[in-house]
């Protein structure tokens, strides 16, 4: 009975070390802060990773750039787009995160008047969102795109004529 408890304890302890090896603890703490809408706190944890290229695996670098992009999307869209594209190149392990990344990139592309790219990214995000957690956001963005593509209607059947000033 004592051996069972010790065995379970060692399995749990080794599980913690394996988990921390594959998931950087600073990234996990930044995710927790981001979930609580604490952007400065999340940024503080990410800034503790001094050299992401050497300290993180490829997937971790993807999540590092993804989180940096989320935080910068509030203030600097151009910089956020760079981080999102870098995260896309490194890859993310969860389909939901990849869908969210593509949804953010679609929003940035649409705001920069790149509608074709935005539509492509939106459809990719919709395919990746298997549980339908982003359906509402995707639907809202598609509606905004439709509104933006409708030409402005000018009401009032006649145009005002300016007096001509020909000489």
């Amino acid at each position: 009975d004592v051996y069972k408890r010790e065995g379970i304890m060692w399995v749990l302890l080794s599980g913690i070390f394996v988990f921390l090896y594959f998931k950087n603890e600073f990234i996990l703490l930044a995710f927790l802060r981001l979930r609580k809408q604490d952007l400065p706190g999340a940024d503080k944890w990410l800034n503790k990773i001094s050299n992401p290229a050497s300290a993180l695996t490829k997937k971790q670098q993807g999540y590092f750039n993804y989180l940096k992009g989320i935080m910068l999307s509030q203030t600097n869209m151009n910089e956020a787009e760079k981080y999102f594209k870098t995260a896309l190149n490194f890859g993310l392990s969860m389909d939901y995160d990849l869908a969210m990344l593509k949804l953010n990139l679609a929003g940035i592309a649409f705001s920069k008047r790149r509608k074709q790219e935005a539509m492509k990214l939106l459809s990719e995000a919709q395919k990746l969102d298997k549980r339908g957690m982003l359906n509402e956001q995707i639907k809202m963005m598609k509606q905004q795109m439709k509104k933006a593509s409708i030409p402005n209607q000018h009401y009032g059947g006649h145009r005002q004529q300016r007096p001509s000033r020909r000489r």
Side-chain angles (χ1 to χ4, degrees):
D1 195 39
V2 174
Y3 293 115
K4 274 186 180 177
R5 278 187 256 161
E6 284 184 22
I8 291 171
M9 181 187 72
W10 284 113
V11 167
L12 290 175
L13 267 174
S14 63
I16 289 171
F17 289 113
V18 168
F19 179 72
L20 290 177
Y21 174 76
F22 288 109
K23 292 280 189 188
N24 188 293
E25 62 273 8
F26 293 130
I27 292 176
L28 288 173
L29 291 168
F31 260 119
L32 291 173
R33 289 288 179 192
L34 199 61
R35 192 174 271 183
K36 293 179 181 180
Q37 304 294 317
D38 180 15
L39 294 178
D43 197 37
K44 182 185 88 174
W45 283 112
L46 284 178
N47 289 335
K48 289 189 181 210
I49 302 171
S50 57
N51 188 1
S54 65
L56 304 173
T57 64
K58 279 184 98 172
K59 295 282 183 188
Q60 289 173 345
Q61 286 181 47
Y63 277 101
F64 175 83
N65 286 297
Y66 172 59
L67 289 172
K68 281 286 198 182
I70 287 174
M71 287 182 277
L72 281 172
S73 67
Q74 307 295 320
T75 56
N76 187 346
M77 294 284 247
N78 292 328
E79 199 67 27
E81 184 179 23
K82 290 177 190 173
Y83 276 108
F84 283 142
K85 286 186 176 180
T86 306
L88 195 60
N89 289 337
F90 280 117
L92 303 175
S93 54
M94 306 270 300
D95 281 344
Y96 174 78
D97 295 330
L98 200 53
M100 189 69 176
L101 173 74
K102 290 191 178 203
L103 182 66
N104 280 310
L105 275 173
I108 292 171
F110 180 63
S111 71
K112 291 183 172 184
R113 298 177 188 239
R114 298 189 314 239
K115 188 177 176 187
Q116 297 291 339
E117 181 184 348
M119 289 300 288
K120 179 183 167 226
L121 286 164
L122 260 184
S123 66
E124 290 174 10
Q126 198 164 21
K127 287 176 192 170
L128 287 167
D129 184 31
K130 292 175 176 74
R131 293 184 182 165
M133 296 171 73
L134 296 174
N135 279 347
E136 200 63 38
Q137 287 94 331
I138 292 172
K139 191 187 305 182
M140 282 176 33
M141 191 170 288
K142 283 184 177 180
Q143 287 173 348
Q144 287 175 346
M145 286 180 173
K146 283 181 185 175
K147 284 181 185 176
S149 66
I150 297 172
N152 291 339
Q153 297 285 326
H154 296 286
Y155 297 104
H158 65 287
R159 291 176 53 179
Q160 287 185 346
Q161 295 287 327
R162 284 198 284 178
S164 62
R165 292 186 176 183
R166 290 188 180 174
R167 294 182 186 173

